[in-house]
Amino acid sequence: MCTFQFYRGNSSAACSTGMPAVVSCLPGPLFATGSAQKKKQRQQQQSQPRIRLKGGAKAGEGRVEVLKNNEWGTICDDRWNLLSASVVCRELGFGSAKEALTGARMGQGTGPIHLNEVQCLGTEKSLWSCPFKNITQEDCKHTEDAAVRCNIPYMGYENLIRLAGGRTEFEGRVEVKRGSKWGTVCSDGWTTKEAMVVCRQLGLGYSLHAVTETWYWDASNVTEMVLSGVKCAGHELSLNHCQHHGSSLNCRNTGTRFAAGVICSETASDLLLHAPLVQETAYIEDRPLHMLYCAAEENCLSSSARHANWPYGHRRLLRFSSQIHNNGRADFRPKAGRHSWVWHECHRHYHSMDIFTHYDILTPNGTKVAEGHKASFCLEDTECEEDVAKRYECANFGEQGITVGCWDLYRHDIDCQWIDITDVKPGNYILQVVINPNFEVAESDFTNNAMKCNCKYDGHRIWVHSCHIGDALSEEASRRFEQYPGQLNNQIS
């Protein structure tokens, strides 16, 4: 795309004053293999990068987020173009940009929008060297978050894996190439995380379902199992990069019926807890045991409640509201179909997910001292953004889910919307809420599913403050949060 001149091959005037140009390339952090290179890059990365990509399905794509004042935020898409996008891609160790995406095409971010009207020349080493405007509140919304797709090295990973027997190219039984032989994968312990890696390796987007029985996709003549014990973290570029048993197979069911399969999708949901609301609504209630039979039946109290003197006495509950937004590009739907939902007579509605959220009270060093069993939720659209229509509601055996641009509100005064802190001693703690903790439903980004707050409990009252999404702060600010010494100014010893 640059200007240049062509010369004939044997022309002596071609380069009379110069020499042949030479370039030397360095693999980006994701593609470095040798330990010497990794060491060199680790030294370069001692300080935390001030830029990252979120919510993309493949390596080198995602919403652009930048770190400013110890807080991650997004970039507004006004004047966002390939030149600026290329600076981002190179800074992250990829090639130039393939696409500069506008209009929150990689999902909406949360928190601040840090930059607007970024105008790079394309030669800058860092996005921070480009001219930009600081944002004012009226300028931009998260519906205008900028994103990129970068050119990345061709690794050929997609030739080592294929899907067989599906109705579309997005689904099927997983077959992998080991040496010159194709074979199936054992489905013991096969979860969304492993399926995410398969879909990424094939370039098919996000994993919608990890399938553990694939008898209905029996169209291939490949019958031998060649891989078992696969355990991925979820960010790998290829299934071979995940832990596995190697050549010694160990699988409960080696028949093709139990080979692993996936269903992939180009879009996915992205759930996020509205942190300020937790902080604003937290309080303590001493609730009489005679009002807690329903909650006990649903396992919403700590185990010591079993030995209480029912129906006399009470449990001390930390209550708060949670508002769960879907900021992704697809509706969040429960994994289980309607036929397997469970009717709860006590609460008189159907529960569509066994575990949707974990509520925990942790000591500053991470030990759990209390947990809330918010076992089953009923997912519905409580409220939506202006131009979005509600689609899901629980009443009358209705469809359950959370529409893109809507949120599901669990008010502080409903059953089980609490943590039983009867046995917790006074002190400083961390309140942690994790959505979709078992990765049961596909999301484009699982790193924003945890929310943390500092809290001080004096035996009578509780103060909840500094609530934030788990990955919203810089490493330094996160460390300060974890090492927080507690409230020192309210005269409580």
Side-chain angles (χ1 to χ4, degrees):
M1 296 163 86
C2 309
T3 53
F4 53 79
Q5 280 178 299
F6 269 124
Y7 287 115
R8 285 201 190 84
N10 59 358
S11 162
S12 57
C15 193
S16 53
T17 53
M19 297 282 288
V22 177
V23 297
S24 168
C25 302
L26 185 73
L30 265 184
F31 306 98
T33 47
S35 57
Q37 276 177 325
K38 285 208 163 150
K39 195 173 175 187
K40 191 172 169 186
Q41 268 154 351
R42 252 202 308 275
Q43 286 161 357
Q44 286 170 359
Q45 289 171 351
Q46 283 305 303
S47 60
Q48 188 186 10
R50 292 181 64 197
I51 190 162
R52 67 184 184 187
L53 300 182
K54 300 283 280 182
K58 300 192 193 85
E61 66 172 40
R63 180 176 63 253
V64 183
E65 297 195 347
V66 291
L67 187 62
K68 187 178 167 191
N69 304 334
N70 281 326
E71 192 174 7
W72 288 98
T74 60
I75 296 178
C76 188
D77 64 9
D78 295 352
R79 300 203 174 182
W80 185 247
N81 62 16
L82 271 177
L83 293 173
S84 302
S86 289
V87 172
V88 168
C89 291
R90 289 197 197 100
E91 188 175 350
L92 289 165
F94 302 109
S96 56
K98 204 179 341 185
E99 284 180 87
L101 302 170
T102 56
R105 286 268 302 282
M106 291 284 172
Q108 295 184 28
T110 50
I113 301 172
H114 282 323
L115 309 180
N116 187 16
E117 296 197 21
V118 179
Q119 289 177 280
C120 302
L121 298 170
T123 52
E124 294 89 348
K125 279 270 180 1
S126 164
L127 192 73
W128 293 99
S129 311
C130 304
F132 59 82
K133 283 187 181 170
N134 284 329
I135 204 85
T136 60
Q137 213 49 49
E138 313 76 67
D139 280 346
C140 284
K141 297 189 176 72
H142 279 298
T143 49
E144 301 168 69
D145 284 342
V148 294
R149 279 203 181 99
C150 303
N151 287 303
I152 62 168
Y154 174 70
M155 309 297 279
Y157 291 143
E158 67 275 21
N159 302 324
L160 305 174
I161 193 166
R162 65 189 183 194
L163 300 183
R167 294 159 300 180
T168 68
E169 60 168 328
F170 284 91
E171 63 176 38
R173 180 180 290 162
V174 178
E175 295 179 356
V176 293
K177 196 174 187 181
R178 306 286 279 171
S180 58
K181 191 170 62 180
W182 286 90
T184 60
V185 179
C186 174
S187 65
D188 292 353
W190 185 253
T191 68
T192 305
K193 285 184 174 177
E194 288 72 42
M196 277 162 73
V197 175
V198 170
C199 295
R200 179 179 302 121
Q201 190 174 347
L202 286 162
L204 295 176
Y206 309 96
S207 126
L208 198 57
H209 289 296
V211 183
T212 51
E213 280 194 46
T214 53
W215 47 270
Y216 44 82
W217 284 333
D218 214 356
S220 166
N221 54 5
V222 172
T223 54
E224 192 183 343
M225 195 164 275
V226 295
L227 201 57
S228 67
V230 181
K231 193 167 173 43
C232 303
H235 54 71
E236 295 88 348
L237 299 179
S238 159
L239 216 52
N240 291 339
H241 298 171
C242 303
Q243 289 179 6
H244 52 80
H245 287 155
S247 52
S248 54
L249 283 188
N250 179 3
C251 190
R252 275 204 313 260
N253 298 298
T254 52
T256 51
R257 173 183 178 161
F258 296 101
V262 295
I263 302 176
C264 303
S265 166
E266 286 179 305
T267 55
S269 62
D270 184 19
L271 294 191
L272 216 98
L273 190 72
H274 185 60
L277 189 67
V278 175
Q279 193 165 311
E280 290 159 18
T281 55
Y283 64 98
I284 282 176
E285 180 195 4
D286 288 339
R287 195 161 179 81
L289 280 174
H290 68 81
M291 298 171 77
L292 288 171
Y293 280 105
C294 233
E297 187 187 304
E298 291 202 3
N299 243 346
C300 297
L301 301 174
S302 61
S303 49
S304 65
R306 288 192 209 114
H307 313 299
N309 183 20
W310 292 81
Y312 308 106
H314 65 266
R315 302 299 289 178
R316 176 158 286 185
L317 309 173
L318 167 58
R319 308 193 75 140
F320 52 89
S321 297
S322 35
Q323 187 170 300
I324 296 162
H325 291 245
N326 181 0
N327 282 2
R329 293 186 295 144
D331 293 355
F332 183 92
R333 300 297 309 278
K335 182 180 174 185
R338 234 179 231 249
H339 58 277
S340 59
W341 294 356
V342 182
W343 172 255
H344 279 253
E345 186 57 42
C346 242
H347 289 144
R348 304 202 62 77
H349 62 215
Y350 282 93
H351 285 174
S352 58
M353 280 180 81
D354 286 345
I355 293 179
F356 179 52
T357 317
H358 282 170
Y359 301 152
D360 299 311
I361 297 272
L362 312 171
T363 61
N365 70 4
T367 313
K368 225 181 254 193
V369 291
E371 53 188 336
H373 301 275
K374 186 66 183 173
S376 310
F377 276 48
C378 173
L379 301 166
E380 66 178 355
D381 296 329
T382 311
E383 291 291 331
C384 297
E385 288 166 13
E386 287 166 22
D387 47 353
V388 180
K390 292 184 191 179
R391 222 179 265 176
Y392 304 106
E393 65 174 331
C394 298
N396 307 325
F397 198 31
E399 283 290 351
Q400 293 192 21
I402 307 176
T403 309
V404 177
C406 298
W407 55 91
D408 190 3
L409 174 65
Y410 297 95
R411 284 171 46 109
H412 56 84
D413 52 4
I414 64 171
D415 252 11
C416 297
Q417 184 59 35
W418 64 56
I419 301 177
D420 181 350
I421 59 167
T422 312
D423 309 322
V424 175
K425 296 177 173 63
N428 291 303
Y429 297 101
I430 290 171
L431 162 63
Q432 179 176 283
V433 178
V434 184
I435 311 171
N436 195 13
N438 300 351
F439 307 106
E440 277 190 42
V441 177
E443 292 188 53
S444 57
D445 186 2
F446 288 110
T447 59
N448 57 13
N449 282 21
M451 188 230 50
K452 297 177 176 182
C453 306
N454 280 127
C455 56
K456 181 180 177 69
Y457 174 48
D458 69 348
H460 308 287
R461 292 166 295 177
I462 200 153
W463 287 266
V464 175
H465 57 99
S466 311
C467 292
H468 63 278
I469 297 297
D471 67 342
L473 305 180
S474 68
E475 286 168 5
E476 183 197 339
S478 294
R479 266 196 304 277
R480 280 205 304 271
F481 171 85
E482 308 263 316
Q483 294 160 1
Y484 176 73
Q487 298 283 91
L488 298 174
N489 58 357
N490 52 15
Q491 279 77 55
I492 291 165
S493 56

